[in-house]
PDB file of all heavy atoms in Angstrom:
ATOM      1  N   VAL Z   1     -83.926 119.050-100.471  1.00 98.00           N
ATOM      2  CA  VAL Z   1     -82.920 118.473-101.354  1.00 98.00           C
ATOM      3  C   VAL Z   1     -83.569 117.943-102.636  1.00 98.00           C
ATOM      4  O   VAL Z   1     -83.019 118.066-103.736  1.00 98.00           O
ATOM      5  CB  VAL Z   1     -82.147 117.350-100.637  1.00 98.00           C
ATOM      6  CG1 VAL Z   1     -81.100 116.734-101.548  1.00 98.00           C
ATOM      7  CG2 VAL Z   1     -81.459 117.905 -99.376  1.00 98.00           C
ATOM      8  N   HIS Z   2     -84.742 117.360-102.503  1.00 98.00           N
ATOM      9  CA  HIS Z   2     -85.502 116.885-103.668  1.00 98.00           C
ATOM     10  C   HIS Z   2     -85.848 118.063-104.579  1.00 98.00           C
ATOM     11  O   HIS Z   2     -85.690 117.987-105.826  1.00 98.00           O
ATOM     12  CB  HIS Z   2     -86.758 116.177-103.207  1.00 98.00           C
ATOM     13  CG  HIS Z   2     -87.539 115.526-104.300  1.00 98.00           C
ATOM     14  ND1 HIS Z   2     -88.853 115.173-104.168  1.00 98.00           N
ATOM     15  CD2 HIS Z   2     -87.189 115.173-105.564  1.00 98.00           C
ATOM     16  CE1 HIS Z   2     -89.281 114.614-105.285  1.00 98.00           C
ATOM     17  NE2 HIS Z   2     -88.283 114.605-106.148  1.00 98.00           N
ATOM     18  N   LEU Z   3     -86.313 119.153-104.000  1.00 98.00           N
ATOM     19  CA  LEU Z   3     -86.649 120.336-104.793  1.00 98.00           C
ATOM     20  C   LEU Z   3     -85.409 120.933-105.458  1.00 98.00           C
ATOM     21  O   LEU Z   3     -85.478 121.413-106.590  1.00 98.00           O
ATOM     22  CB  LEU Z   3     -87.336 121.383-103.900  1.00 98.00           C
ATOM     23  CG  LEU Z   3     -88.681 120.972-103.284  1.00 98.00           C
ATOM     24  CD1 LEU Z   3     -89.187 122.076-102.363  1.00 98.00           C
ATOM     25  CD2 LEU Z   3     -89.713 120.649-104.364  1.00 98.00           C
ATOM     26  N   ALA Z   4     -84.299 120.869-104.739  1.00 98.00           N
ATOM     27  CA  ALA Z   4     -83.032 121.376-105.331  1.00 98.00           C
ATOM     28  C   ALA Z   4     -82.620 120.494-106.502  1.00 98.00           C
ATOM     29  O   ALA Z   4     -82.127 121.005-107.527  1.00 98.00           O
ATOM     30  CB  ALA Z   4     -81.928 121.401-104.267  1.00 98.00           C
ATOM     31  N   GLU Z   5     -82.811 119.184-106.391  1.00 98.00           N
ATOM     32  CA  GLU Z   5     -82.518 118.286-107.506  1.00 98.00           C
ATOM     33  C   GLU Z   5     -83.377 118.635-108.727  1.00 98.00           C
ATOM     34  O   GLU Z   5     -82.893 118.658-109.855  1.00 98.00           O
ATOM     35  CB  GLU Z   5     -82.746 116.845-107.086  1.00 98.00           C
ATOM     36  CG  GLU Z   5     -82.499 115.839-108.212  1.00 98.00           C
ATOM     37  CD  GLU Z   5     -83.065 114.449-107.904  1.00 98.00           C
ATOM     38  OE1 GLU Z   5     -84.080 114.376-107.194  1.00 98.00           O
ATOM     39  OE2 GLU Z   5     -82.466 113.471-108.370  1.00 98.00           O
ATOM     40  N   GLN Z   6     -84.641 118.894-108.481  1.00 98.00           N
ATOM     41  CA  GLN Z   6     -85.537 119.257-109.579  1.00 98.00           C
ATOM     42  C   GLN Z   6     -85.101 120.572-110.230  1.00 98.00           C
ATOM     43  O   GLN Z   6     -85.156 120.711-111.452  1.00 98.00           O
ATOM     44  CB  GLN Z   6     -86.962 119.357-109.055  1.00 98.00           C
ATOM     45  CG  GLN Z   6     -87.551 118.014-108.608  1.00 98.00           C
ATOM     46  CD  GLN Z   6     -88.887 118.162-107.934  1.00 98.00           C
ATOM     47  OE1 GLN Z   6     -89.321 119.269-107.596  1.00 98.00           O
ATOM     48  NE2 GLN Z   6     -89.581 117.064-107.729  1.00 98.00           N
ATOM     49  N   ALA Z   7     -84.652 121.505-109.414  1.00 98.00           N
ATOM     50  CA  ALA Z   7     -84.240 122.805-109.944  1.00 98.00           C
ATOM     51  C   ALA Z   7     -82.924 122.692-110.726  1.00 98.00           C
ATOM     52  O   ALA Z   7     -82.753 123.304-111.779  1.00 98.00           O
ATOM     53  CB  ALA Z   7     -84.070 123.813-108.801  1.00 98.00           C
ATOM     54  N   ALA Z   8     -82.004 121.859-110.225  1.00 98.00           N
ATOM     55  CA  ALA Z   8     -80.684 121.737-110.860  1.00 98.00           C
ATOM     56  C   ALA Z   8     -80.661 120.735-112.013  1.00 98.00           C
ATOM     57  O   ALA Z   8     -79.814 120.811-112.894  1.00 98.00           O
ATOM     58  CB  ALA Z   8     -79.639 121.337-109.812  1.00 98.00           C
ATOM     59  N   GLY Z   9     -81.599 119.778-111.963  1.00 98.00           N
ATOM     60  CA  GLY Z   9     -81.594 118.725-112.981  1.00 98.00           C
ATOM     61  C   GLY Z   9     -80.611 117.616-112.711  1.00 98.00           C
ATOM     62  O   GLY Z   9     -80.399 116.757-113.563  1.00 98.00           O
ATOM     63  N   ASN Z  10     -79.971 117.635-111.552  1.00 98.00           N
ATOM     64  CA  ASN Z  10     -79.010 116.596-111.180  1.00 98.00           C
ATOM     65  C   ASN Z  10     -78.776 116.630-109.680  1.00 98.00           C
ATOM     66  O   ASN Z  10     -79.359 117.484-108.964  1.00 98.00           O
ATOM     67  CB  ASN Z  10     -77.670 116.804-111.920  1.00 98.00           C
ATOM     68  CG  ASN Z  10     -77.076 118.165-111.641  1.00 98.00           C
ATOM     69  OD1 ASN Z  10     -76.727 118.485-110.512  1.00 98.00           O
ATOM     70  ND2 ASN Z  10     -76.962 118.992-112.690  1.00 98.00           N
ATOM     71  N   ARG Z  11     -77.942 115.716-109.196  1.00 98.00           N
ATOM     72  CA  ARG Z  11     -77.602 115.662-107.777  1.00 98.00           C
ATOM     73  C   ARG Z  11     -76.135 116.012-107.533  1.00 98.00           C
ATOM     74  O   ARG Z  11     -75.594 115.692-106.472  1.00 98.00           O
ATOM     75  CB  ARG Z  11     -77.876 114.253-107.228  1.00 98.00           C
ATOM     76  CG  ARG Z  11     -79.311 113.817-107.314  1.00 98.00           C
ATOM     77  CD  ARG Z  11     -79.503 112.398-106.812  1.00 98.00           C
ATOM     78  NE  ARG Z  11     -80.868 111.963-106.965  1.00 98.00           N
ATOM     79  CZ  ARG Z  11     -81.287 110.712-106.732  1.00 98.00           C
ATOM     80  NH1 ARG Z  11     -80.421 109.786-106.338  1.00 98.00           N
ATOM     81  NH2 ARG Z  11     -82.563 110.397-106.908  1.00 98.00           N
ATOM     82  N   ASP Z  12     -75.532 116.697-108.463  1.00 98.00           N
ATOM     83  CA  ASP Z  12     -74.107 117.007-108.326  1.00 98.00           C
ATOM     84  C   ASP Z  12     -73.808 117.909-107.138  1.00 98.00           C
ATOM     85  O   ASP Z  12     -72.669 117.979-106.687  1.00 98.00           O
ATOM     86  CB  ASP Z  12     -73.598 117.683-109.605  1.00 98.00           C
ATOM     87  CG  ASP Z  12     -73.658 116.769-110.812  1.00 98.00           C
ATOM     88  OD1 ASP Z  12     -73.854 115.546-110.625  1.00 98.00           O
ATOM     89  OD2 ASP Z  12     -73.530 117.261-111.946  1.00 98.00           O
ATOM     90  N   PHE Z  13     -74.824 118.601-106.624  1.00 98.00           N
ATOM     91  CA  PHE Z  13     -74.622 119.489-105.478  1.00 98.00           C
ATOM     92  C   PHE Z  13     -74.457 118.709-104.167  1.00 98.00           C
ATOM     93  O   PHE Z  13     -74.083 119.299-103.152  1.00 98.00           O
ATOM     94  CB  PHE Z  13     -75.778 120.478-105.360  1.00 98.00           C
ATOM     95  CG  PHE Z  13     -77.120 119.810-105.159  1.00 98.00           C
ATOM     96  CD1 PHE Z  13     -77.618 119.587-103.895  1.00 98.00           C
ATOM     97  CD2 PHE Z  13     -77.880 119.409-106.263  1.00 98.00           C
ATOM     98  CE1 PHE Z  13     -78.846 118.963-103.700  1.00 98.00           C
ATOM     99  CE2 PHE Z  13     -79.105 118.797-106.089  1.00 98.00           C
ATOM    100  CZ  PHE Z  13     -79.606 118.572-104.807  1.00 98.00           C
ATOM    101  N   ILE Z  14     -74.755 117.411-104.168  1.00 98.00           N
ATOM    102  CA  ILE Z  14     -74.554 116.569-102.977  1.00 98.00           C
ATOM    103  C   ILE Z  14     -73.118 116.073-102.999  1.00 98.00           C
ATOM    104  O   ILE Z  14     -72.713 115.351-103.912  1.00 98.00           O
ATOM    105  CB  ILE Z  14     -75.529 115.381-102.947  1.00 98.00           C
ATOM    106  CG1 ILE Z  14     -76.965 115.887-102.874  1.00 98.00           C
ATOM    107  CG2 ILE Z  14     -75.222 114.471-101.748  1.00 98.00           C
ATOM    108  CD1 ILE Z  14     -78.012 114.773-102.936  1.00 98.00           C
ATOM    109  N   ARG Z  15     -72.333 116.435-102.004  1.00 98.00           N
ATOM    110  CA  ARG Z  15     -70.919 116.033-101.989  1.00 98.00           C
ATOM    111  C   ARG Z  15     -70.774 114.582-101.581  1.00 98.00           C
ATOM    112  O   ARG Z  15     -70.009 113.823-102.217  1.00 98.00           O
ATOM    113  CB  ARG Z  15     -70.112 116.920-101.018  1.00 98.00           C
ATOM    114  CG  ARG Z  15     -68.667 116.467-100.832  1.00 98.00           C
ATOM    115  CD  ARG Z  15     -67.811 117.543-100.204  1.00 98.00           C
ATOM    116  NE  ARG Z  15     -68.234 117.924 -98.882  1.00 98.00           N
ATOM    117  CZ  ARG Z  15     -67.701 117.488 -97.744  1.00 98.00           C
ATOM    118  NH1 ARG Z  15     -66.737 116.584 -97.779  1.00 98.00           N
ATOM    119  NH2 ARG Z  15     -68.141 117.914 -96.570  1.00 98.00           N
ATOM    120  N   CYS Z  16     -71.479 114.139-100.542  1.00 98.00           N
ATOM    121  CA  CYS Z  16     -71.262 112.780-100.037  1.00 98.00           C
ATOM    122  C   CYS Z  16     -72.321 112.457 -99.010  1.00 98.00           C
ATOM    123  O   CYS Z  16     -73.162 113.282 -98.664  1.00 98.00           O
ATOM    124  CB  CYS Z  16     -69.874 112.663 -99.404  1.00 98.00           C
ATOM    125  SG  CYS Z  16     -69.649 113.724 -97.943  1.00 98.00           S
ATOM    126  N   SER Z  17     -72.235 111.235 -98.484  1.00 98.00           N
ATOM    127  CA  SER Z  17     -73.088 110.808 -97.381  1.00 98.00           C
ATOM    128  C   SER Z  17     -72.279 110.820 -96.077  1.00 98.00           C
ATOM    129  O   SER Z  17     -71.045 110.817 -96.096  1.00 98.00           O
ATOM    130  CB  SER Z  17     -73.630 109.406 -97.611  1.00 98.00           C
ATOM    131  OG  SER Z  17     -72.593 108.445 -97.511  1.00 98.00           O
ATOM    132  N   LEU Z  18     -72.995 110.820 -94.973  1.00 98.00           N
ATOM    133  CA  LEU Z  18     -72.325 110.779 -93.674  1.00 98.00           C
ATOM    134  C   LEU Z  18     -71.554 109.460 -93.520  1.00 98.00           C
ATOM    135  O   LEU Z  18     -70.458 109.444 -92.950  1.00 98.00           O
ATOM    136  CB  LEU Z  18     -73.347 110.932 -92.553  1.00 98.00           C
ATOM    137  CG  LEU Z  18     -72.817 110.860 -91.114  1.00 98.00           C
ATOM    138  CD1 LEU Z  18     -71.733 111.883 -90.882  1.00 98.00           C
ATOM    139  CD2 LEU Z  18     -73.958 111.058 -90.123  1.00 98.00           C
ATOM    140  N   GLY Z  19     -72.110 108.361 -94.033  1.00 98.00           N
ATOM    141  CA  GLY Z  19     -71.414 107.087 -93.974  1.00 98.00           C
ATOM    142  C   GLY Z  19     -70.095 107.123 -94.693  1.00 98.00           C
ATOM    143  O   GLY Z  19     -69.093 106.545 -94.240  1.00 98.00           O
ATOM    144  N   GLU Z  20     -70.048 107.805 -95.838  1.00 98.00           N
ATOM    145  CA  GLU Z  20     -68.780 107.930 -96.568  1.00 98.00           C
ATOM    146  C   GLU Z  20     -67.764 108.745 -95.793  1.00 98.00           C
ATOM    147  O   GLU Z  20     -66.559 108.456 -95.816  1.00 98.00           O
ATOM    148  CB  GLU Z  20     -69.038 108.575 -97.943  1.00 98.00           C
ATOM    149  CG  GLU Z  20     -69.784 107.644 -98.899  1.00 98.00           C
ATOM    150  CD  GLU Z  20     -70.236 108.352-100.151  1.00 98.00           C
ATOM    151  OE1 GLU Z  20     -70.622 109.533-100.077  1.00 98.00           O
ATOM    152  OE2 GLU Z  20     -70.210 107.708-101.230  1.00 98.00           O
ATOM    153  N   LEU Z  21     -68.227 109.763 -95.061  1.00 98.00           N
ATOM    154  CA  LEU Z  21     -67.309 110.500 -94.196  1.00 98.00           C
ATOM    155  C   LEU Z  21     -66.774 109.607 -93.103  1.00 98.00           C
ATOM    156  O   LEU Z  21     -65.582 109.662 -92.765  1.00 98.00           O
ATOM    157  CB  LEU Z  21     -68.046 111.701 -93.592  1.00 98.00           C
ATOM    158  CG  LEU Z  21     -68.322 112.890 -94.522  1.00 98.00           C
ATOM    159  CD1 LEU Z  21     -69.249 113.893 -93.845  1.00 98.00           C
ATOM    160  CD2 LEU Z  21     -67.012 113.561 -94.923  1.00 98.00           C
ATOM    161  N   LEU Z  22     -67.628 108.791 -92.517  1.00 98.00           N
ATOM    162  CA  LEU Z  22     -67.184 107.877 -91.450  1.00 98.00           C
ATOM    163  C   LEU Z  22     -66.203 106.836 -91.990  1.00 98.00           C
ATOM    164  O   LEU Z  22     -65.271 106.449 -91.296  1.00 98.00           O
ATOM    165  CB  LEU Z  22     -68.387 107.168 -90.845  1.00 98.00           C
ATOM    166  CG  LEU Z  22     -69.348 108.063 -90.038  1.00 98.00           C
ATOM    167  CD1 LEU Z  22     -70.617 107.297 -89.693  1.00 98.00           C
ATOM    168  CD2 LEU Z  22     -68.678 108.586 -88.761  1.00 98.00           C
ATOM    169  N   GLU Z  23     -66.405 106.391 -93.223  1.00 97.00           N
ATOM    170  CA  GLU Z  23     -65.538 105.400 -93.822  1.00 97.00           C
ATOM    171  C   GLU Z  23     -64.278 106.022 -94.421  1.00 97.00           C
ATOM    172  O   GLU Z  23     -63.359 105.294 -94.828  1.00 97.00           O
ATOM    173  CB  GLU Z  23     -66.292 104.639 -94.921  1.00 97.00           C
ATOM    174  CG  GLU Z  23     -67.324 103.676 -94.418  1.00 97.00           C
ATOM    175  CD  GLU Z  23     -66.688 102.406 -93.819  1.00 97.00           C
ATOM    176  OE1 GLU Z  23     -66.396 101.466 -94.564  1.00 97.00           O
ATOM    177  OE2 GLU Z  23     -66.476 102.420 -92.579  1.00 97.00           O
ATOM    178  N   GLY Z  24     -64.209 107.342 -94.492  1.00 96.00           N
ATOM    179  CA  GLY Z  24     -63.036 108.004 -95.044  1.00 96.00           C
ATOM    180  C   GLY Z  24     -62.968 107.958 -96.544  1.00 96.00           C
ATOM    181  O   GLY Z  24     -61.867 108.105 -97.135  1.00 96.00           O
ATOM    182  N   THR Z  25     -64.111 107.757 -97.212  1.00 97.00           N
ATOM    183  CA  THR Z  25     -64.136 107.650 -98.690  1.00 97.00           C
ATOM    184  C   THR Z  25     -64.762 108.871 -99.354  1.00 97.00           C
ATOM    185  O   THR Z  25     -64.917 108.888-100.561  1.00 97.00           O
ATOM    186  CB  THR Z  25     -64.879 106.402 -99.137  1.00 97.00           C
ATOM    187  OG1 THR Z  25     -66.235 106.453 -98.643  1.00 97.00           O
ATOM    188  CG2 THR Z  25     -64.217 105.134 -98.580  1.00 97.00           C
ATOM    189  N   ALA Z  26     -65.120 109.888 -98.574  1.00 97.00           N
ATOM    190  CA  ALA Z  26     -65.788 111.056 -99.139  1.00 97.00           C
ATOM    191  C   ALA Z  26     -64.788 112.029 -99.735  1.00 97.00           C
ATOM    192  O   ALA Z  26     -63.666 112.145 -99.253  1.00 97.00           O
ATOM    193  CB  ALA Z  26     -66.599 111.757 -98.053  1.00 97.00           C
ATOM    194  N   PRO Z  27     -65.189 112.731-100.799  1.00 96.00           N
ATOM    195  CA  PRO Z  27     -64.308 113.783-101.308  1.00 96.00           C
ATOM    196  C   PRO Z  27     -64.194 114.925-100.309  1.00 96.00           C
ATOM    197  O   PRO Z  27     -65.080 115.147 -99.490  1.00 96.00           O
ATOM    198  CB  PRO Z  27     -65.041 114.242-102.601  1.00 96.00           C
ATOM    199  CG  PRO Z  27     -66.453 113.850-102.401  1.00 96.00           C
ATOM    200  CD  PRO Z  27     -66.428 112.595-101.568  1.00 96.00           C
ATOM    201  N   ALA Z  28     -63.101 115.655-100.395  1.00 94.00           N
ATOM    202  CA  ALA Z  28     -62.870 116.760 -99.480  1.00 94.00           C
ATOM    203  C   ALA Z  28     -63.857 117.896 -99.736  1.00 94.00           C
ATOM    204  O   ALA Z  28     -64.348 118.089-100.867  1.00 94.00           O
ATOM    205  CB  ALA Z  28     -61.449 117.274 -99.636  1.00 94.00           C
ATOM    206  N   LYS Z  29     -64.170 118.636 -98.701  1.00 95.00           N
ATOM    207  CA  LYS Z  29     -65.018 119.807 -98.852  1.00 95.00           C
ATOM    208  C   LYS Z  29     -64.322 120.808 -99.753  1.00 95.00           C
ATOM    209  O   LYS Z  29     -63.150 121.174 -99.500  1.00 95.00           O
ATOM    210  CB  LYS Z  29     -65.308 120.403 -97.461  1.00 95.00           C
ATOM    211  CG  LYS Z  29     -66.246 121.579 -97.458  1.00 95.00           C
ATOM    212  CD  LYS Z  29     -66.501 122.028 -96.022  1.00 95.00           C
ATOM    213  CE  LYS Z  29     -67.439 123.245 -95.989  1.00 95.00           C
ATOM    214  NZ  LYS Z  29     -67.735 123.680 -94.598  1.00 95.00           N
ATOM    215  N   PRO Z  30     -64.989 121.276-100.802  1.00 93.00           N
ATOM    216  CA  PRO Z  30     -64.282 122.121-101.785  1.00 93.00           C
ATOM    217  C   PRO Z  30     -63.893 123.488-101.245  1.00 93.00           C
ATOM    218  O   PRO Z  30     -62.916 124.073-101.686  1.00 93.00           O
ATOM    219  CB  PRO Z  30     -65.289 122.251-102.925  1.00 93.00           C
ATOM    220  CG  PRO Z  30     -66.619 121.956-102.301  1.00 93.00           C
ATOM    221  CD  PRO Z  30     -66.340 120.959-101.213  1.00 93.00           C
ATOM    222  N   ASP Z  31     -64.666 124.005-100.285  1.00 95.00           N
ATOM    223  CA  ASP Z  31     -64.380 125.335 -99.721  1.00 95.00           C
ATOM    224  C   ASP Z  31     -64.662 125.289 -98.230  1.00 95.00           C
ATOM    225  O   ASP Z  31     -65.812 125.136 -97.813  1.00 95.00           O
ATOM    226  CB  ASP Z  31     -65.263 126.388-100.420  1.00 95.00           C
ATOM    227  CG  ASP Z  31     -65.043 127.803 -99.887  1.00 95.00           C
ATOM    228  OD1 ASP Z  31     -64.186 127.965 -98.993  1.00 95.00           O
ATOM    229  OD2 ASP Z  31     -65.740 128.715-100.348  1.00 95.00           O
ATOM    230  N   GLU Z  32     -63.628 125.423 -97.427  1.00 93.00           N
ATOM    231  CA  GLU Z  32     -63.788 125.303 -95.983  1.00 93.00           C
ATOM    232  C   GLU Z  32     -64.649 126.399 -95.389  1.00 93.00           C
ATOM    233  O   GLU Z  32     -65.184 126.262 -94.299  1.00 93.00           O
ATOM    234  CB  GLU Z  32     -62.409 125.307 -95.300  1.00 93.00           C
ATOM    235  CG  GLU Z  32     -61.610 124.037 -95.544  1.00 93.00           C
ATOM    236  CD  GLU Z  32     -62.328 122.795 -95.043  1.00 93.00           C
ATOM    237  OE1 GLU Z  32     -62.964 122.852 -93.960  1.00 93.00           O
ATOM    238  OE2 GLU Z  32     -62.279 121.763 -95.736  1.00 93.00           O
ATOM    239  N   ARG Z  33     -64.812 127.498 -96.107  1.00 95.00           N
ATOM    240  CA  ARG Z  33     -65.640 128.612 -95.610  1.00 95.00           C
ATOM    241  C   ARG Z  33     -67.112 128.422 -95.962  1.00 95.00           C
ATOM    242  O   ARG Z  33     -67.962 129.156 -95.463  1.00 95.00           O
ATOM    243  CB  ARG Z  33     -65.145 129.930 -96.174  1.00 95.00           C
ATOM    244  CG  ARG Z  33     -63.740 130.327 -95.663  1.00 95.00           C
ATOM    245  CD  ARG Z  33     -63.248 131.606 -96.340  1.00 95.00           C
ATOM    246  NE  ARG Z  33     -64.178 132.723 -96.099  1.00 95.00           N
ATOM    247  CZ  ARG Z  33     -64.189 133.491 -95.027  1.00 95.00           C
ATOM    248  NH1 ARG Z  33     -63.311 133.263 -94.039  1.00 95.00           N
ATOM    249  NH2 ARG Z  33     -65.041 134.497 -94.920  1.00 95.00           N
ATOM    250  N   ALA Z  34     -67.420 127.466 -96.821  1.00 97.00           N
ATOM    251  CA  ALA Z  34     -68.806 127.248 -97.234  1.00 97.00           C
ATOM    252  C   ALA Z  34     -69.646 126.719 -96.086  1.00 97.00           C
ATOM    253  O   ALA Z  34     -69.151 125.986 -95.225  1.00 97.00           O
ATOM    254  CB  ALA Z  34     -68.862 126.299 -98.419  1.00 97.00           C
ATOM    255  N   VAL Z  35     -70.924 127.081 -96.080  1.00 98.00           N
ATOM    256  CA  VAL Z  35     -71.865 126.510 -95.110  1.00 98.00           C
ATOM    257  C   VAL Z  35     -72.187 125.086 -95.520  1.00 98.00           C
ATOM    258  O   VAL Z  35     -72.468 124.799 -96.706  1.00 98.00           O
ATOM    259  CB  VAL Z  35     -73.161 127.350 -95.079  1.00 98.00           C
ATOM    260  CG1 VAL Z  35     -74.217 126.661 -94.193  1.00 98.00           C
ATOM    261  CG2 VAL Z  35     -72.874 128.760 -94.576  1.00 98.00           C
ATOM    262  N   THR Z  36     -72.081 124.158 -94.564  1.00 98.00           N
ATOM    263  CA  THR Z  36     -72.423 122.760 -94.832  1.00 98.00           C
ATOM    264  C   THR Z  36     -73.815 122.455 -94.285  1.00 98.00           C
ATOM    265  O   THR Z  36     -74.133 122.799 -93.136  1.00 98.00           O
ATOM    266  CB  THR Z  36     -71.390 121.809 -94.175  1.00 98.00           C
ATOM    267  OG1 THR Z  36     -70.127 122.006 -94.786  1.00 98.00           O
ATOM    268  CG2 THR Z  36     -71.822 120.359 -94.372  1.00 98.00           C
ATOM    269  N   VAL Z  37     -74.628 121.823 -95.102  1.00 98.00           N
ATOM    270  CA  VAL Z  37     -75.979 121.410 -94.701  1.00 98.00           C
ATOM    271  C   VAL Z  37     -76.014 119.880 -94.644  1.00 98.00           C
ATOM    272  O   VAL Z  37     -75.713 119.215 -95.634  1.00 98.00           O
ATOM    273  CB  VAL Z  37     -77.045 121.935 -95.669  1.00 98.00           C
ATOM    274  CG1 VAL Z  37     -78.420 121.406 -95.271  1.00 98.00           C
ATOM    275  CG2 VAL Z  37     -77.058 123.441 -95.706  1.00 98.00           C
ATOM    276  N   PHE Z  38     -76.372 119.348 -93.484  1.00 98.00           N
ATOM    277  CA  PHE Z  38     -76.592 117.894 -93.336  1.00 98.00           C
ATOM    278  C   PHE Z  38     -78.100 117.651 -93.372  1.00 98.00           C
ATOM    279  O   PHE Z  38     -78.839 118.125 -92.532  1.00 98.00           O
ATOM    280  CB  PHE Z  38     -76.017 117.376 -92.038  1.00 98.00           C
ATOM    281  CG  PHE Z  38     -76.311 115.924 -91.775  1.00 98.00           C
ATOM    282  CD1 PHE Z  38     -75.952 114.952 -92.681  1.00 98.00           C
ATOM    283  CD2 PHE Z  38     -76.964 115.542 -90.608  1.00 98.00           C
ATOM    284  CE1 PHE Z  38     -76.222 113.588 -92.461  1.00 98.00           C
ATOM    285  CE2 PHE Z  38     -77.241 114.202 -90.355  1.00 98.00           C
ATOM    286  CZ  PHE Z  38     -76.873 113.228 -91.288  1.00 98.00           C
ATOM    287  N   SER Z  39     -78.538 116.913 -94.400  1.00 98.00           N
ATOM    288  CA  SER Z  39     -79.959 116.621 -94.601  1.00 98.00           C
ATOM    289  C   SER Z  39     -80.182 115.125 -94.462  1.00 98.00           C
ATOM    290  O   SER Z  39     -79.984 114.369 -95.405  1.00 98.00           O
ATOM    291  CB  SER Z  39     -80.416 117.109 -95.980  1.00 98.00           C
ATOM    292  OG  SER Z  39     -80.249 118.494 -96.111  1.00 98.00           O
ATOM    293  N   PRO Z  40     -80.614 114.648 -93.295  1.00 98.00           N
ATOM    294  CA  PRO Z  40     -80.853 113.217 -93.111  1.00 98.00           C
ATOM    295  C   PRO Z  40     -82.329 112.869 -93.302  1.00 98.00           C
ATOM    296  O   PRO Z  40     -83.195 113.355 -92.569  1.00 98.00           O
ATOM    297  CB  PRO Z  40     -80.437 112.997 -91.643  1.00 98.00           C
ATOM    298  CG  PRO Z  40     -80.777 114.291 -90.973  1.00 98.00           C
ATOM    299  CD  PRO Z  40     -80.666 115.397 -92.022  1.00 98.00           C
ATOM    300  N   PHE Z  41     -82.612 112.019 -94.284  1.00 96.00           N
ATOM    301  CA  PHE Z  41     -84.000 111.614 -94.501  1.00 96.00           C
ATOM    302  C   PHE Z  41     -84.502 110.791 -93.326  1.00 96.00           C
ATOM    303  O   PHE Z  41     -85.697 110.784 -93.030  1.00 96.00           O
ATOM    304  CB  PHE Z  41     -84.115 110.817 -95.800  1.00 96.00           C
ATOM    305  CG  PHE Z  41     -85.510 110.611 -96.262  1.00 96.00           C
ATOM    306  CD1 PHE Z  41     -86.235 111.651 -96.797  1.00 96.00           C
ATOM    307  CD2 PHE Z  41     -86.110 109.365 -96.165  1.00 96.00           C
ATOM    308  CE1 PHE Z  41     -87.553 111.458 -97.240  1.00 96.00           C
ATOM    309  CE2 PHE Z  41     -87.415 109.156 -96.597  1.00 96.00           C
ATOM    310  CZ  PHE Z  41     -88.148 110.217 -97.127  1.00 96.00           C
ATOM    311  N   GLY Z  42     -83.597 110.086 -92.664  1.00 94.00           N
ATOM    312  CA  GLY Z  42     -83.986 109.224 -91.544  1.00 94.00           C
ATOM    313  C   GLY Z  42     -84.153 107.812 -92.072  1.00 94.00           C
ATOM    314  O   GLY Z  42     -85.173 107.472 -92.638  1.00 94.00           O
ATOM    315  N   LEU Z  43     -83.115 106.986 -91.881  1.00 97.00           N
ATOM    316  CA  LEU Z  43     -83.085 105.662 -92.470  1.00 97.00           C
ATOM    317  C   LEU Z  43     -83.562 104.603 -91.476  1.00 97.00           C
ATOM    318  O   LEU Z  43     -83.182 104.624 -90.303  1.00 97.00           O
ATOM    319  CB  LEU Z  43     -81.682 105.339 -92.959  1.00 97.00           C
ATOM    320  CG  LEU Z  43     -81.047 106.353 -93.899  1.00 97.00           C
ATOM    321  CD1 LEU Z  43     -79.649 105.903 -94.318  1.00 97.00           C
ATOM    322  CD2 LEU Z  43     -81.916 106.596 -95.123  1.00 97.00           C
ATOM    323  N   GLY Z  44     -84.356 103.660 -91.989  1.00 97.00           N
ATOM    324  CA  GLY Z  44     -84.856 102.599 -91.118  1.00 97.00           C
ATOM    325  C   GLY Z  44     -83.766 101.761 -90.484  1.00 97.00           C
ATOM    326  O   GLY Z  44     -83.984 101.156 -89.421  1.00 97.00           O
ATOM    327  N   ILE Z  45     -82.599 101.684 -91.101  1.00 98.00           N
ATOM    328  CA  ILE Z  45     -81.507 100.923 -90.491  1.00 98.00           C
ATOM    329  C   ILE Z  45     -81.085 101.485 -89.158  1.00 98.00           C
ATOM    330  O   ILE Z  45     -80.621 100.767 -88.276  1.00 98.00           O
ATOM    331  CB  ILE Z  45     -80.276 100.850 -91.438  1.00 98.00           C
ATOM    332  CG1 ILE Z  45     -79.830 102.252 -91.853  1.00 98.00           C
ATOM    333  CG2 ILE Z  45     -80.568  99.968 -92.649  1.00 98.00           C
ATOM    334  CD1 ILE Z  45     -78.532 102.290 -92.636  1.00 98.00           C
TER     335      ILE Z  45
END
């Protein structure tokens, strides 16, 4: 994801966090047929 940010020059390709999905505040998936990638860095919390 870091390398993708460097290639794109932004983080716009990240739709949301898992926490936002749990809270119901995430934007809808733009294309239901798209492959979804969950990339968890692994948080100390």
Side-chain angles (χ1 to χ4, degrees):
V1 179
H2 186 199
L3 297 177
E5 178 194 31
Q6 293 173 348
N10 58 63
R11 299 177 183 173
D12 296 347
F13 60 92
I14 298 176
R15 174 164 62 98
C16 63
S17 70
L18 179 56
E20 289 170 324
L21 286 171
L22 292 170
E23 287 286 274
T25 60
K29 184 177 178 178
D31 180 1
E32 289 301 321
R33 294 176 57 84
V35 173
T36 296
V37 176
F38 174 57
S39 299
F41 193 72
L43 306 181
I45 54 173

